[in-house]
Amino acid sequence: MKLNQLRLRGMAKSWQAMLQTRHAYQISFSEGLEIMVQAEEEERKQNRFERLLRAAKFRYQASIEEILFDPRRELDKGLVGRLATCDYILKGESILLTGATGCGKSFLASALGHQACMLGHSVAYFNIQKLMMKIKMARLEGNNLKFFDKLAKTDLLIIDDFGLSNLEKQHKFDLLEIIEDRHGRSSTIIASQLPISNWFDVIGQATIADAILDRLVHTSYKIDLKGDTLRKKRK
């Protein structure tokens, strides 16, 4: 079929469906064309969503609808609803997620990232150690500038497990460069077991810590999850 050759697969599927149901003989040309164009638009949106989802590499396949709003978690449903619009991404605002092990930080971060993909935003999800290892490998291969540029152009960057281990000296400069490149332009979600008040000590070097936290803390949404571990509940 010519439509498939032209890569108009949504239109081709819609046309075949209308032929099989004989709907094509019951509507006008303009009505049929409108249906096919709409089908093509939906097909392209779905294909883009699936590409963005694969590229993001989330830890969990999570969605906003799956978030647990137990009162013990102290998770503001209204705030999550506002974040689900992804308006914060358009404004280049960030989200800082804190809470004990197993309270659902990574799941919430993944759900927000999933929602961003649904609305057509590019997302990258990294464990902090894997991100730093990726940067180290890129530097050894001479591709670090290209990798930093790619991160800077990503609409939403999610950094998970921040603070689980001390950062090496070069890692601190790398993190500062990432945050500096994104400040006010792109959004970053950082998830950590440690309260934000401890992040200065985790970074360790005063001037770098000041620079990073100054760009993050004052203009970010802060969510501190409470309650017992959810890991057993999700199995």
Side-chain angles (χ1 to χ4, degrees), residues 11 14-15 18 24 27-37:
M11 296 183 73
S14 178
W15 173 244
M18 286 192 289
I27 58 176
S28 67
F29 172 79
S30 60
E31 289 173 330
L33 183 60
E34 183 178 354
I35 292 171
M36 292 169 65
V37 169

Side-chain angles (χ1 to χ4, degrees), residues 133-146:
M133 182 60 68
K134 187 94 173 177
I135 295 172
K136 187 175 183 178
M137 293 301 297
R139 183 171 282 112
L140 290 173
E141 294 168 359
N143 296 323
N144 55 309
L145 294 180
K146 183 178 179 181

Side-chain angles (χ1 to χ4, degrees), residues 188-202:
T188 306
I189 295 178
I190 298 181
S192 175
Q193 294 180 22
L194 301 175
I196 297 171
S197 58
N198 289 13
W199 290 12
F200 187 95
D201 294 331
V202 170

Side-chain angles (χ1 to χ4, degrees), residues 134-192:
K134 187 94 173 177
I135 295 172
K136 187 175 183 178
M137 293 301 297
R139 183 171 282 112
L140 290 173
E141 294 168 359
N143 296 323
N144 55 309
L145 294 180
K146 183 178 179 181
F147 184 68
F148 278 120
D149 186 56
K150 182 180 179 180
L151 288 179
K153 291 178 179 177
T154 301
D155 297 332
L156 174 61
L157 173 64
I158 301 175
I159 301 176
D160 203 357
D161 293 329
F162 177 75
L164 283 186
S165 59
N166 293 328
L167 296 173
E168 297 175 10
K169 184 176 181 180
Q170 183 59 54
H171 292 167
K172 298 172 186 179
F173 285 106
D174 291 338
L175 182 60
L176 175 58
E177 183 169 350
I178 290 168
I179 299 303
E180 174 64 29
D181 285 345
R182 303 182 63 76
H183 180 57
R185 304 181 187 92
S186 308
S187 295
T188 306
I189 295 178
I190 298 181
S192 175

